[in-house]
Amino acid sequence: LTGTSREQRAFQYVLAHAIPGDPHHILQTFDQWCYHCEHLSCVGPDKGRIVERVLLERAPLRVLELGTYCGYGTVLLAQGLPPGARLYTIEGDPRHAAVAEKVIRLAGFSEETVELIVGPSEEVIPHLREKHGLMNANFVFMDHWKRCYLRDLRLLESHQLLAEGATILADNVLFPGAPHFLQYAKTCGKYHCKVHRASLEY
């Protein structure tokens, strides 16, 4: 009825209630909206703790996120980056990217720390090195269309965009599920696999 999207409504709530420049409070405000108003398919606090823990363990300097959506996962990743690290995040939907851009900057992250790239992942990934200066990624967070997980992992491999010992963290591989990605990761011999059990967001 308002003519605004669910994502825009969530951002208006965050803008009205969150503390600018405080990433943790911005995520908490998103959580409040999602618990009490409308569901968004953000990572959420439960799975967010897994992301934070793995990020802390790895301390990567070059992070790639596939699927920015509203910027929730981006802010979560950015606040856990070690000094001097850079995050590249790819979003295929320009409307979602417009919201995410505002969320990321509201959280206090500059373009030097977080670069938001708008376009389909299969078109962006082959040009990450020459267009965006990403030589390779130490850490990849996949949270876009599940059917694209395997295709994009193979694209990252074929363009040598995965650093040696890189960590790939993929959300929702069991439900809604990314069975082909999971089978490849477990059987191709290139990766050590671990499934983190978690509840669905919100």
Side-chain angles (χ1 to χ4, degrees), residues 20-185:
D22 185 337
H24 183 67
H25 194 258
I26 283 169
L27 295 179
Q28 278 187 326
T29 310
F30 258 116
D31 293 336
Q32 286 295 314
W33 173 266
C34 293
Y35 277 123
H36 304 295
C37 301
E38 293 180 282
H39 177 271
L40 295 176
S41 52
C42 302
V43 179
D46 295 338
K47 290 190 287 187
R49 281 188 279 276
I50 297 170
V51 176
E52 286 175 321
R53 189 179 73 241
V54 177
L55 198 65
L56 186 65
E57 286 169 4
R58 300 294 186 267
L61 288 175
R62 296 175 304 281
V63 177
L64 175 64
E65 179 186 34
L66 302 179
T68 318
Y69 189 40
C70 292
Y72 184 106
T74 316
V75 171
L76 182 72
L77 291 165
Q79 73 172 356
L81 292 176
R86 187 162 168 75
L87 167 59
Y88 302 80
T89 182
I90 301 172
E91 174 52 49
D93 188 324
R95 294 163 303 175
H96 292 162
V99 172
E101 180 82 44
K102 294 173 195 163
V103 170
I104 294 161
R105 306 310 166 210
L106 185 69
F109 299 109
S110 69
E111 288 182 20
E112 283 69 47
T113 303
V114 178
E115 182 178 350
L116 173 59
I117 305 161
V118 185
S121 55
E122 73 272 21
E123 293 177 15
V124 173
I125 288 171
H127 303 289
L128 280 172
R129 187 171 285 120
E130 64 267 28
K131 274 194 179 177
H132 303 280
L134 175 60
M135 300 312 290
N136 53 39
N138 312 111
F139 190 100
V140 179
F141 182 49
M142 292 186 167
D143 195 17
H144 56 327
W145 293 107
K146 313 312 157 203
R147 65 174 183 271
C148 302
Y149 279 17
L150 179 56
R151 180 202 67 196
D152 288 352
L153 177 60
R154 285 181 157 157
L155 270 177
L156 291 169
E157 290 174 347
S158 65
H159 289 276
Q160 279 119 35
L161 284 164
L162 296 174
E164 191 161 341
T167 298
I168 295 145
L169 194 58
D171 193 18
N172 298 121
V173 292
L174 297 180
F175 183 84
H180 300 298
F181 165 84
L182 210 52
Q183 183 184 22
Y184 176 77

